[in-house]
Amino acid sequence: MSAAAMPGTGMPTVVLVHGAFVDGSSWNGVIADLQRRGYPVIALANPVRSVQRDAAYLRALVDSLSGPVVLAAHSYGGAVITEAAEGAANVRALVYVASFSPDVGESVADVNAKFPGSRLADNIQAVPIPAQDGSADMDQYVKQETYPDFFAPDVPREQAVVMAATQRPAAANTLTDAVTRAAWKIIPSWTLVSTQDLAIPPDLQRFMAQRAGSTTVEVDASHAVTVSQPGAVADFIDTAARATAQ
């Protein structure tokens, strides 16, 4: 049964939005924890093609859901919920997990350049692909040989190697597309800072959280915090859901 068809739970639907270089399975531990608590959960299969296209894809799902929604995003997924949630009357909370929360006119690349420390550019492999209009485009992967130590050093290595092989690449313009809306200016937000993050500098995460007026918690984890510490992530999402319950 879909989350939209689960009446009487009295709990918001939690929609989880993964970022680049992972897929929906990166939320598996978080999903299991939230479901044990009684939450209906959907992990969006984020296309990671462009901010506006990905946001429209998410918004269509959100608009199909009855009852309140909590949106939680990891990494690039934060730009997607920032763009998608404005004007969605059923979205009660935004939860940013080791995530970007750009302002209007900012791209992921713009905000990631505000503070030193990101090693993302050093670990990217670009693969030419055809765009829908027939022009040339580029997919970006994290190099499989560096993925465990860069992206997920606190995840068991065997698991990190599998994550590297199954990662969802990001089209090049996902990093350069500017958001046109900033839902965190209207909707209450929560930000989980991963203090050992090598992709999004912790100081940048703190800056974005302060700018958004987010309720903030810090977790001693890598960028792959949804995998390495799913219980802490589920606790934080639960906190946001309870704080905005009506």
Side-chain angles (χ1 to χ4, degrees):
M1 181 180 291
S2 71
M6 295 179 69
T9 65
M11 305 180 83
T13 299
V14 178
V15 177
L16 304 170
V17 183
H18 69 79
F21 319 125
V22 291
D23 62 14
S25 67
S26 62
W27 292 106
N28 281 358
V30 178
I31 293 167
D33 194 323
L34 290 172
Q35 288 178 333
R36 283 193 294 268
R37 302 177 196 226
Y39 287 99
V41 184
I42 300 173
L44 182 82
N46 188 1
V48 200
R49 297 295 88 190
S50 75
V51 170
Q52 281 71 41
R53 285 173 58 191
D54 299 342
Y57 187 69
L58 170 61
R59 182 59 178 266
L61 171 63
V62 169
D63 288 346
S64 76
L65 299 174
S66 59
V69 171
V70 171
L71 290 179
H74 174 244
S75 194
Y76 160 75
V80 177
I81 69 171
T82 296
E83 178 79 20
E86 184 176 313
N90 56 341
V91 175
R92 300 288 187 263
L94 306 173
V95 183
Y96 294 96
V97 180
S99 186
F100 292 104
S101 50
D103 201 350
V104 173
E106 290 179 341
S107 68
V108 166
D110 291 335
V111 290
N112 212 31
K114 288 182 180 292
F115 289 83
S118 174
R119 289 170 45 191
L120 181 61
D122 298 332
N123 288 277
I124 289 295
Q125 176 183 358
V127 177
I129 58 171
Q132 284 188 321
D133 62 3
S135 62
D137 201 350
M138 197 74 68
D139 257 352
Q140 299 178 91
Y141 294 81
V142 171
K143 299 172 184 175
Q144 289 200 27
E145 63 270 25
T146 65
Y147 192 109
D149 293 327
F150 158 64
F151 197 91
D154 54 353
V155 173
R157 194 168 189 87
E158 295 82 1
Q159 186 177 4
V161 168
V162 172
M163 291 170 62
T166 59
Q167 66 180 289
R168 195 175 189 101
N173 59 315
T174 58
L175 300 182
T176 56
D177 285 346
V179 302
T180 63
R181 300 174 179 85
W184 49 259
K185 294 183 177 181
I186 301 168
I187 301 169
S189 65
W190 279 254
T191 297
L192 185 150
V193 175
S194 47
T195 62
Q196 302 302 315
D197 203 314
L198 299 177
I200 307 177
D203 282 344
L204 173 58
Q205 296 179 47
R206 296 180 185 111
F207 164 78
M208 291 185 290
Q210 183 176 19
R211 180 174 68 175
S214 284
T215 300
T216 306
V217 67
E218 299 201 358
V219 176
D220 186 20
S222 76
H223 192 58
V225 61
T226 62
V227 179
S228 65
Q229 297 204 39
V233 175
D235 282 344
F236 197 52
I237 294 171
D238 179 56
T239 297
R242 291 180 182 274
T244 53
Q246 294 182 350

